[in-house]
Amino acid sequence: MKKPPATTPVTRRGLARFKGEKASELVPQARLSGPMPWVIAIMIALTVIAAGGGLALNNLAGAARAELAGGATVQIMEADPSERARQAAATVDVLVDIDGVASVRLVPEEELDALLEPWLGVGADNEAVPVPALIDVRMSGPVTEERLDRLKVVLADAAPAARIDAQASWLGPVFEAITSLQWLAIGLVVLLALTSAAAVWLAARSALGSNSETIEIVHLLGGTDSQIARIFQRSIAVDAAVGGAVGLALGLAAIMVMGDRFAALGSGMVAGGGLGWIDWVLIVAIPLVGVLLAMLTARITVLAALRRML
């Protein structure tokens, strides 16, 4: 009769209670040498960029709506300069006495010339290209259709050539485009989250396949599915944490670069798209959510596969 093999340190560790660092030694993982951390890093970086863009667009639209909510513009569409000036002055006199009008400002011709200079050139002849007189009106509340109709009736006699428009209506197509881009950013974030979960699922399945014999032995030694799942869950968590940190750094760098480029435009509307502290908190939380998603996906994948192995 053959003598039973001697008990080695490895065997004794396997016979001990299956938990902690002893369990993790059964499934060796070459974390940084594998592709998983870098896949997660790319996904997190793209998610950070998409989320940053969506939050910036939300802030930009909110600031623009708040600024234009109570604004209206009166244009004096008169070709004769003297008559245009008379009607503009009469319009200002009428508007300042109307209830609900907070402020009235006649835009100087020099300011109009500066605004039109990129299109008409320097020293454009206003008689050859008549420029309407502009009056900026700020209301004490939102500019509704009823308010606009009332202003039109009041100005009908004093300024027959007056045309009144709500400032928010000018940017209606812009707001619609911004809303579409916001939905696109949300869709990208969801798609990237699903892609990350799929990558973790594939990695967990691959690790299970390469360690199937070890897992069967662990089962025979009394290891439970939950204990085995924690091994893979812990390993994926480390990979996700490393990839999340790298992806966050890359995403933040891209946001900073793009922010500097847009700030250089000097546009007041673009300036309203700056990120606040709440936005930065949400962006920094993306890698944490990514780690939790990776751990949950790994645990569900491993438990489902182990049930089929038994």
Side-chain angles (χ1 to χ4, degrees):
M1 184 176 182
K2 292 184 179 181
K3 183 179 179 181
T7 302
T8 65
V10 176
T11 306
R12 287 195 296 270
R13 284 201 302 271
L15 294 174
R17 183 172 174 79
F18 189 71
K19 65 177 183 178
E21 295 298 328
K22 296 178 181 179
S24 64
E25 294 174 2
L26 295 176
V27 186
Q29 294 289 326
R31 293 188 177 94
L32 294 180
S33 62
M36 181 51 55
W38 311 116
V39 171
I40 294 178
I42 294 173
M43 296 300 174
I44 292 296
L46 294 176
T47 304
V48 168
I49 296 173
L55 292 171
L57 288 173
N58 181 67
N59 294 340
L60 187 150
R65 286 192 178 98
E67 183 178 353
L68 300 177
T73 300
V74 180
Q75 301 181 66
I76 307 299
M77 312 293 291
E78 175 60 47
D80 182 40
S82 60
E83 179 63 17
R84 183 168 64 242
R86 185 196 68 77
Q87 291 192 26
T91 300
V92 172
D93 294 338
V94 171
L95 290 176
V96 294
D97 295 330
I98 297 178
D99 294 334
V101 176
S103 64
V104 179
R105 174 177 174 265
L106 177 61
V107 180
E109 291 187 5
E110 295 80 8
E111 187 173 335
L112 291 176
D113 293 339
L115 292 174
L116 296 176
E117 183 177 316
W119 290 271
L120 301 181
V122 180
D125 188 358
N126 289 338
E127 294 183 359
V129 184
V131 178
L134 292 182
I135 301 172
D136 183 23
V137 182
R138 307 301 300 179
M139 308 294 289
S140 57
V143 180
T144 61
E145 291 294 333
E146 292 77 11
R147 281 191 164 187
L148 288 178
D149 293 339
R150 186 161 62 91
L151 291 178
K152 291 176 182 177
V153 172
V154 172
L155 295 176
D157 295 332
R163 174 182 171 181
I164 308 173
D165 297 297
Q167 293 180 0
S169 64
W170 294 359
L171 295 179
V174 177
F175 289 143
E176 293 177 0
I178 290 176
T179 301
S180 299
L181 290 175
Q182 286 178 284
W183 282 111
L184 177 61
I186 294 174
L188 286 175
V189 171
V190 174
L191 180 61
L192 290 169
L194 294 176
T195 305
S196 300
V200 172
W201 178 79
L202 290 174
R205 295 280 299 179
S206 176
L208 280 171
S210 60
N211 294 278
S212 59
E213 295 181 358
T214 303
I215 292 173
E216 291 179 0
I217 294 174
V218 170
H219 270 139
L220 294 175
L221 294 176
T224 64
D225 290 350
S226 179
Q227 291 171 332
I228 297 173
R230 279 199 295 268
I231 300 172
F232 293 93
Q233 185 177 334
R234 210 162 37 236
S235 176
I236 291 294
V238 174
D239 288 346
V242 174
V246 175
L248 178 62
L250 294 175
L252 291 179
I255 290 177
M256 293 296 183
V257 172
M258 295 301 296
D260 291 339
R261 296 295 182 269
F262 280 104
L265 296 176
S267 173
M269 185 175 180
V270 174
L275 298 177
W277 68 270
I278 296 180
D279 301 324
W280 289 114
V281 170
L282 293 175
I283 291 175
V284 173
I286 289 176
L288 301 179
V289 177
V291 172
L292 293 177
L293 178 62
M295 293 174 61
L296 180 61
T297 302
R299 183 173 184 83
I300 294 174
T301 302
V302 172
L303 289 176
L306 290 176
R307 292 190 188 99
R308 289 193 294 268
M309 291 175 62
L310 296 179

